Amino acid sequence: MSFSQEVDPNVAPGAPPHRPRVPGRACSWRDPIRCRRGARPGGGGAGICVGTTPSSTGLRDDKLTPLSSSRLGTYGEGGSPGLLGGTPGEAVRHCSAPEDPIFRLSSLYPYLFPGIIKSRDMSRKRHRLVPETTGLKRRRKEGPVESDPLRGELGSARAAVSELMQLFPRGLFEDALPPIALRSQVYSLVPDRTVADRQLKELQEQGEIRIVQLGFDLDAHGIIFTEDYRTRVLKACDGRPYAGAVQKFLASVLPACGDLSFQQEQMTQTFGFRDSEITHLVNAGVLTVRDAGSWWLAVPGAGRFIKYFVKGRQAVLGMVRKAKYRELLLSELLGRRAPAVVRLGLTYHVHDLIGAQLVDCISTTSGTLLRLPET
Amino acid sequence: MLGFLSARQTGLEDPLRLRRAASTRSMLSGGSDGVIVLYDLENSSRQPYYTCKAVCSVDRYHPDVHKYSVETVQWYPHDTGMFTSSSFDKTLKVWDTNTLQTADVFNFEETVYSHHMSPVSTKHCLVAVGTRGPKVQLCDLKSGSCSHILQGHRQEILAVSWSPRYDYILATASADSRVKLWDVRRASGCLITLDQHNGEKSQAVESANTAHNGKVNGLCFTSDGLHLLTVGTDNRMRLWNSSNGENTLVNYGKVCNNSKKGLKFTVSSGCSSEFVFVPYGSTIAVYTVYSGEQITMLKGHYKSVDCCVFQSNLQELYSGSRDCNILAWVPSLYEPVPDDDETTTKSQLNPAFEDAWSSSDEG
């Protein structure tokens, strides 16, 4: 349903009553409503425009600058660049300013409610609200720049891992920890889990990444680039009594055995480690005990990371849990200020929650919705 | 898309276990009140929605009825003259179908979680029984006593399954997170303990290998016996290569599993890409076996689904749940289009009652 641009259907035809013009205030009868209609492509795939072609009319164009697609694409939005940035080519019949904070904060995707305009005054107020917030607030909310996680436009686990490493806050740990990504985060970027698992396995076999068991959950595996791991571990054990054993371990065992865990037989017979050396390795934090005679590979100093991670995960889940109906639009979640416990960044945790299926991702017409599962 | 029919159970308790007969269209179901009912699955009415009748049942007044919940029922693999049922009352009973009397009873010291008889074997009549103790018992139907004990697990055995490919290969799943493959002819321990990380294979390592990060609830071989599916309380389902015990790393995502006992799930057979049907809360989740993709969730039950079983002759799935219903799911050949419904209702309207008015306001 589209209307020609000249006619503003909200106003009765005929000369409007003369009102003193307040500078800066939109006059409804002169400019038809220029509202952005968020086109929400349902589900995945390429963003399909719903009908409108962007055309530039009206006063608002300078404010509504078209964003590039990389900034637009978040969590289920398609990448049709012109639509969210440019002005729609048709006047929207009804527009009412919704009261909820979604509209004010995460105005990248303003949500238009078809409503009934009560009076000309009201309509003027609403016209003013809509373009203002869309113009100003959107620029503020530019924060997390990431590509479509549910789409795997990067297509491969390796690219996903590199991108996730960018999200890791190195400064927080004073560069003592190598950047760690989680397997569940890779699932949120690569849509097919089996393919992601197999590619990660290949990378592991080639020796590019190490997969490490993070202690808090048997299912959570951390992914680290081998080079990063090696440099950080060497730096951490510099000058300590166990440095010798650690260097021997890094030189002989790491390249040879790509597994998550090591067994007694392997260590003593194949690689020639003595018991005292194995104790050194455990003290250094490179190995953690799994069972009698078997050890997990570990990252020294990862305890702090795990603590922040677990607390942050609970905090972000709590944000969704406290929302009305236990669901939140992704864009709103990312636009909120992170609670102080979240040290690793909201995006980092959201990737993990989506990939670990701790929240259900539902694509709606206003973007991706995160909802807590009922069970 | 699967539509559903419904088979109302005559008893009031929920049917826990269902079993298909190989030859005729009859189905066994065991309920949590100890009752066993036989259904005839023949669809004699022409309706798309019908109710299957219960042919006969071992009800509460039968002298040999199980005292507690029936956990597993299975037809004798070669004909329907006999079936076996095991229950929480620590017995495994062998029934004669025609007279509905027990032909034999095996007593155990612990509650029986699961039993299975080899579907292909002609050389032996062993029934593998998984109980609350860590030992797997093999009972011989010919001699009427327990012939074998397989030791190796550390906690209760929640599921057992014979391979449909080899006579003597048995898989057992236990609450200690381990799945073991056994050759029952060997005197020494198990053949393989499945390792989810596909680590080094050496004998000494076996004790640390786990198949899941929680209890392993359910086991199902694919119909050709080359792969094995396991589900665990860590909400994961894994596909294993049954010949070398390797984790194929097919990822099905989160498969919710809260069952404290075994979970009976099933694999289709005869489809071009095999599907696995897993009870998921009050729905049944359908995945393709080899690619891990979730096809759909079958919604129809009101409470949690306990078991499901597939009949390959007619490609029907039967599921039993805590709401005392057994539902039959039939593949529908086409999507019901709303237009179709309209045209059918229109055609059913007697033309004498149709009016010739037009409802538009154009004048």
Side-chain angles (χ1 to χ4, degrees):
Chain A
M1 195 159 54
S2 71
F3 297 89
S4 62
Q5 294 167 9
E6 299 78 35
V7 174
D8 179 17
N10 291 311
V11 179
H18 176 70
R19 286 171 205 252
R21 279 206 64 197
V22 177
R25 210 177 138 155
C27 219
S28 60
W29 65 273
R30 193 173 296 177
D31 294 321
I33 305 169
R34 291 279 170 253
C35 300
R36 287 178 336 165
R37 176 182 306 173
R40 313 282 167 233
I48 302 167
C49 269
V50 182
T52 60
T53 56
S55 66
S56 54
T57 46
L59 285 179
R60 305 260 139 40
D61 293 348
D62 42 271
K63 282 195 198 162
L64 303 176
T65 50
L67 298 180
S68 63
S69 58
S70 67
R71 283 194 231 146
L72 280 184
T74 28
Y75 294 110
E77 300 306 295
S80 67
L83 195 70
L84 289 179
T87 51
E90 60 201 39
V92 177
R93 185 183 170 85
H94 294 304
C95 174
S96 65
E99 287 80 25
D100 67 334
I102 291 179
F103 194 86
R104 277 190 284 283
L105 288 181
S106 63
S107 319
L108 252 188
Y109 313 101
Y111 197 59
L112 297 179
F113 292 89
I116 300 171
I117 307 297
K118 306 264 185 346
S119 70
R120 215 169 293 136
D121 284 333
M122 285 296 281
S123 67
R124 203 177 306 139
K125 178 169 103 184
R126 282 169 185 165
H127 300 338
R128 190 192 52 182
L129 274 176
V130 166
E132 266 182 19
T133 44
T134 54
L136 293 171
K137 295 294 196 294
R138 188 189 347 127
R139 238 174 264 132
R140 177 177 72 134
K141 200 242 142 266
E142 241 147 54
V145 173
E146 80 240 10
S147 48
D148 239 349
L150 296 183
R151 205 122 324 151
E153 48 171 70
L154 307 171
S156 85
R158 196 192 189 298
V161 170
S162 317
E163 192 188 315
L164 289 168
M165 297 298 191
Q166 308 296 325
L167 288 177
F168 184 84
R170 290 172 198 233
L172 189 59
F173 302 103
E174 294 100 30
D175 226 16
L177 267 192
I180 305 179
L182 271 84
R183 197 190 269 268
S184 48
Q185 293 172 332
V186 176
Y187 293 152
S188 81
L189 284 172
V190 180
D192 188 347
R193 287 160 179 255
T194 311
V195 163
D197 272 347
R198 293 209 173 120
Q199 286 177 351
L200 284 176
K201 183 94 187 158
E202 264 172 38
L203 286 176
Q204 201 183 355
E205 276 160 16
Q206 286 163 11
E208 266 192 68
I209 59 174
R210 295 301 305 203
I211 301 202
V212 155
Q213 176 82 302
L214 296 174
F216 63 91
D217 188 4
L218 283 172
D219 235 351
H221 292 164
I223 303 171
I224 310 175
F225 282 123
T226 321
E227 273 320 299
D228 286 339
Y229 180 72
R230 197 190 293 271
T231 40
R232 296 305 197 293
V233 169
L234 282 176
K235 204 164 70 159
C237 73
D238 230 358
R240 303 293 189 91
Y242 41 73
V246 172
Q247 276 155 13
K248 183 174 167 195
F249 179 79
L250 288 179
S252 61
V253 181
L254 266 199
C257 178
D259 291 338
L260 274 80
S261 65
F262 304 100
Q263 319 302 333
Q264 176 92 22
E265 310 258 307
Q266 229 180 338
M267 296 291 279
T268 48
Q269 275 152 32
T270 326
F271 298 112
F273 277 83
R274 290 188 305 269
D275 277 344
S276 56
E277 288 179 321
I278 298 182
T279 319
H280 278 313
L281 289 175
V282 175
N283 288 345
V286 174
L287 292 181
T288 32
V289 173
R290 172 186 179 183
D291 201 357
S294 97
W295 296 273
W296 296 115
L297 182 68
V299 183
R304 250 194 322 162
F305 166 74
I306 294 174
K307 183 175 72 166
Y308 293 152
F309 183 80
V310 170
K311 288 214 174 117
R313 192 194 238 192
Q314 292 307 319
V316 178
L317 261 186
M319 284 165 80
V320 182
R321 197 176 296 131
K322 289 192 194 120
K324 196 174 180 191
Y325 307 121
R326 292 153 66 100
E327 62 189 16
L328 264 188
L329 274 182
L330 184 60
S331 43
E332 147 120 33
L333 177 63
L334 292 177
R336 284 193 186 176
R337 200 157 32 114
V341 245
V342 175
R343 313 281 288 260
L344 301 172
L346 270 182
T347 350
Y348 194 84
H349 284 294
V350 171
H351 273 297
D352 165 60
L353 288 182
I354 294 179
Q357 291 180 297
L358 290 168
V359 287
D360 290 334
C361 253
I362 299 153
S363 59
T364 62
T365 47
S366 26
T368 309
L369 186 72
L370 301 180
R371 181 186 288 161
L372 281 187
E374 288 90 36
T375 49
Chain B
M1 188 183 107
L2 298 184
F4 64 88
L5 321 136
S6 78
R8 188 90 220 189
Q9 197 202 6
T10 47
L12 288 174
E13 296 291 318
D14 45 285
L16 279 183
R17 302 298 166 241
L18 306 177
R19 264 300 180 260
R20 179 100 324 70
S23 47
T24 66
R25 297 189 62 180
S26 51
M27 178 172 79
L28 264 181
S29 80
S32 64
D33 53 350
V35 165
I36 301 173
V37 186
L38 244 91
Y39 291 96
D40 175 22
L41 301 175
E42 199 73 45
N43 178 11
S44 46
S45 69
R46 294 281 167 210
Q47 306 296 323
Y49 296 100
Y50 60 92
T51 304
C52 295
K53 299 251 177 306
V55 171
C56 58
S57 79
V58 175
D59 55 15
R60 300 292 315 155
Y61 306 109
H62 194 284
D64 294 325
V65 70
H66 281 289
K67 295 192 187 52
Y68 297 117
S69 148
V70 176
E71 287 299 306
T72 316
V73 286
Q74 188 190 3
W75 287 107
Y76 183 60
H78 306 292
D79 60 56
T80 55
M82 190 165 90
F83 62 89
T84 48
S85 68
S86 67
S87 142
F88 265 20
D89 64 357
K90 307 182 189 174
T91 59
L92 167 72
K93 293 191 174 164
V94 182
W95 301 81
D96 177 340
T97 321
N98 296 317
T99 59
L100 270 195
Q101 302 293 327
T102 43
D104 205 351
V105 179
F106 295 88
N107 291 303
F108 301 96
E109 284 129 25
E110 305 266 9
T111 58
V112 180
Y113 278 116
S114 165
H115 79 269
H116 196 239
M117 221 176 131
S118 173
V120 293
S121 168
T122 47
K123 301 194 185 82
H124 68 81
C125 297
L126 293 174
V127 182
V129 179
T131 64
R132 205 141 145 231
K135 298 182 191 162
V136 184
Q137 315 222 13
L138 297 177
C139 301
D140 189 2
L141 287 183
K142 275 195 206 134
S143 64
S145 62
C146 294
S147 60
H148 255 85
I149 291 183
L150 301 175
Q151 299 213 31
H153 281 294
R154 293 183 201 160
Q155 286 182 36
E156 54 204 17
I157 313 284
L158 293 172
V160 293
S161 179
W162 290 92
S163 161
R165 197 174 177 87
Y166 301 111
D167 289 357
Y168 293 102
I169 303 291
L170 172 70
T172 58
S174 158
D176 63 358
S177 322
R178 287 172 179 79
V179 174
K180 290 185 186 269
L181 286 173
W182 309 83
D183 181 338
V184 298
R185 295 167 296 187
R186 268 168 67 139
S188 56
C190 67
L191 284 179
I192 310 174
T193 307
L194 300 183
D195 179 16
Q196 54 176 311
H197 300 298
N198 282 343
E200 287 263 333
K201 300 250 180 323
S202 68
Q203 276 306 96
V205 166
E206 297 264 297
S207 59
N209 286 344
T210 54
H212 279 267
N213 294 320
K215 300 187 197 180
V216 189
N217 273 5
L219 275 184
C220 188
F221 275 95
T222 52
S223 44
D224 53 9
L226 293 173
H227 289 94
L228 173 66
L229 279 159
T230 58
V231 283
T233 50
D234 59 347
N235 297 334
R236 298 272 172 258
M237 182 158 66
R238 299 212 160 94
L239 181 73
W240 308 85
N241 186 332
S242 58
S243 49
N244 58 9
E246 183 201 329
N247 184 354
T248 55
L249 297 180
V250 177
N251 194 326
Y252 301 93
K254 185 171 170 194
V255 181
C256 272
N257 184 350
N258 296 325
S259 172
K260 297 193 175 67
K261 308 184 289 194
L263 188 72
K264 305 274 195 278
F265 66 101
T266 185
V267 179
S268 69
S269 64
C271 305
S272 59
S273 64
E274 302 291 348
F275 300 111
V276 54
F277 303 96
V278 185
Y280 189 125
S282 65
T283 63
I284 301 167
V286 184
Y287 300 92
T288 13
V289 175
Y290 299 109
S291 75
E293 183 197 336
Q294 184 179 54
I295 308 287
T296 178
M297 307 264 275
L298 303 176
K299 295 186 167 70
H301 281 291
Y302 304 120
K303 287 197 184 168
S304 58
V305 181
D306 278 330
C307 54
C308 54
V309 69
F310 187 78
Q311 193 200 47
S312 51
N313 290 341
L314 287 137
Q315 305 279 300
E316 286 173 3
L317 175 76
Y318 296 88
S319 60
S321 113
R322 299 248 167 109
D323 60 0
C324 309
N325 277 339
I326 301 175
L327 292 184
W329 304 84
V330 171
S332 71
L333 298 173
Y334 50 86
E335 288 281 333
V337 180
D339 295 340
D340 279 356
D341 288 346
E342 238 177 37
T343 50
T344 48
T345 43
K346 269 203 195 140
S347 63
Q348 284 169 12
L349 189 62
N350 191 325
F353 294 110
E354 285 186 36
D355 57 2
W357 294 47
S358 95
S359 55
S360 75
D361 281 335
E362 293 169 44

